[in-house]
Amino acid sequence: MNVVPVENTSKDMQIPHLRRLWLYIVCGLIVFFLIAPAFVIAPMSFSSSPTLHFPPSGLSLQWYERLFFDIRWQSAIGVSAVVALGTVLIATPLGTLAAYGLHQYKGVASTFVSALVFSPMILPGILIAVGTFFLYAKIGLLHSVTGLIVAHSCLAIPFVMISVVSGMTKFDMNLELAARIHGATRIQTFFRITLPQLRMSIAAGALLALVASLDDVLISLFISGGSSTTLTKLMFSSMRDQIDPTISAISTCLIAFAVLVISVARTIGFVGRP
């Protein structure tokens, strides 16, 4: 009986690049469609025109000056930073523990809890925002940083859980059993064996929680205000009341921040590989 070499078989099954040309073109168009706005927003942030105008008729840093020296934008940036940091500090450990617990214990109860925790990703955002508004109106958390952190944490926990559950599918649970057999308690096993193995998944979940908090608009529109106005609400108000070119400056900064965070995360992931 003739045996076909595995290498030759795999080479025969490969699709030539020419036949995949249409896929490359489609992917290229999708990527271009996604990043094209950035190439429009960034030049407009340096425009000297008092309105949004592309291409810019002149160059100026006046919108960045307003962004960093206007008290309204400074306050909004500070509130969003505090809320995002608080969201990461709350959602990351809670999401990690929830993912670990639901992965360990299977059954009807775990299915119900999973559906409950993931509900913020399923329900329409406007319903969550309206419900949060009426709840906060009764308990006195409207227009407070604490209320924003709690609401954003509820939105971010599912993202952390998805990342950690994905990491746990590659985790060998026999390592925990081996540690328990050698006398380690469940808490010691979690912190010394499980947690180090899931550190990259947890870091990715924390990054998603950060982005979810900074990107939220609906909940911030309903429950933030006054001294607790977030950056996204101020941007929305500026676009609604008047077209303020400062929005292009803050959008460019947010794009640069996202690129920086992703680059750092990729670098840490590469360095952290065994």
Side-chain angles (χ1 to χ4, degrees):
M1 181 177 60
N2 296 328
V3 179
V4 181
V6 177
E7 296 182 357
N8 295 337
T9 304
S10 61
K11 290 181 180 179
D12 294 338
M13 295 179 62
Q14 291 181 356
I15 302 176
H17 290 284
L18 185 60
R19 295 181 59 183
R20 289 185 291 180
L21 181 61
W22 67 272
L23 181 61
Y24 298 150
I25 295 175
V26 172
C27 292
L29 291 175
I30 293 174
V31 172
F32 175 78
F33 178 78
L34 292 175
I35 67 175
F39 294 102
V40 176
I41 291 296
M44 285 196 301
S45 66
F46 296 96
S47 174
S48 59
S49 174
T51 60
L52 291 175
H53 182 72
F54 184 83
S57 56
L59 298 179
S60 174
L61 294 176
Q62 58 180 326
W63 309 122
Y64 287 94
E65 181 179 356
R66 175 180 295 185
L67 173 63
F68 293 110
F69 293 99
D70 190 307
I71 187 63
R72 293 189 310 151
W73 291 101
Q74 284 184 344
S75 176
I77 292 174
V79 170
S80 294
V82 171
V83 172
L85 180 60
T87 300
V88 172
L89 294 179
I90 293 177
T92 302
L94 290 182
T96 301
L97 293 176
Y100 179 79
L102 293 175
H103 186 269
Q104 288 278 19
Y105 303 101
K106 307 292 183 181
V108 179
S110 64
T111 303
F112 174 77
V113 173
S114 298
L116 183 64
V117 174
F118 285 111
S119 60
M121 300 182 64
I122 302 173
L123 295 175
I126 187 65
L127 296 181
I128 298 176
V130 172
T132 304
F133 172 79
F134 282 105
L135 175 63
Y136 280 11
K138 293 183 178 181
I139 62 179
L141 284 179
L142 282 178
H143 301 171
S144 67
V145 175
T146 302
L148 284 169
I149 293 176
V150 173
H152 285 188
S153 298
C154 293
L155 288 179
I157 286 176
F159 294 98
V160 179
M161 285 185 60
I162 290 176
S163 178
V164 176
V165 168
S166 176
M168 293 198 69
T169 57
K170 304 176 182 179
F171 177 70
D172 187 4
M173 300 303 296
N174 292 325
L175 296 176
E176 286 194 350
L177 296 176
R180 297 291 302 278
I181 290 174
H182 286 82
T185 63
R186 183 175 292 274
I187 296 179
Q188 290 176 333
T189 301
F190 178 77
F191 282 99
R192 296 183 181 182
I193 303 298
T194 308
L195 204 60
Q197 298 294 325
L198 299 175
R199 63 185 185 279
M200 297 310 303
S201 298
I202 296 174
L207 178 61
L208 292 175
L210 176 68
V211 173
S213 176
L214 293 176
D215 192 54
D216 173 69
V217 179
L218 286 175
I219 291 182
S220 298
L221 285 176
F222 278 83
I223 68 175
S224 71
S227 59
S228 65
T229 300
T230 61
L231 185 59
T232 52
K233 180 174 182 177
L234 184 57
M235 292 174 66
F236 182 85
S237 301
S238 298
M239 286 295 295
R240 180 190 60 188
D241 300 334
Q242 61 180 354
I243 301 179
D244 189 353
T246 310
I247 297 175
S248 60
I250 185 59
S251 300
T252 303
C253 292
L254 289 176
I255 293 172
F257 175 76
V259 173
L260 177 63
V261 170
I262 293 174
S263 301
V264 171
R266 293 284 295 178
T267 303
I268 294 176
F270 178 80
V271 174
R273 291 177 183 175

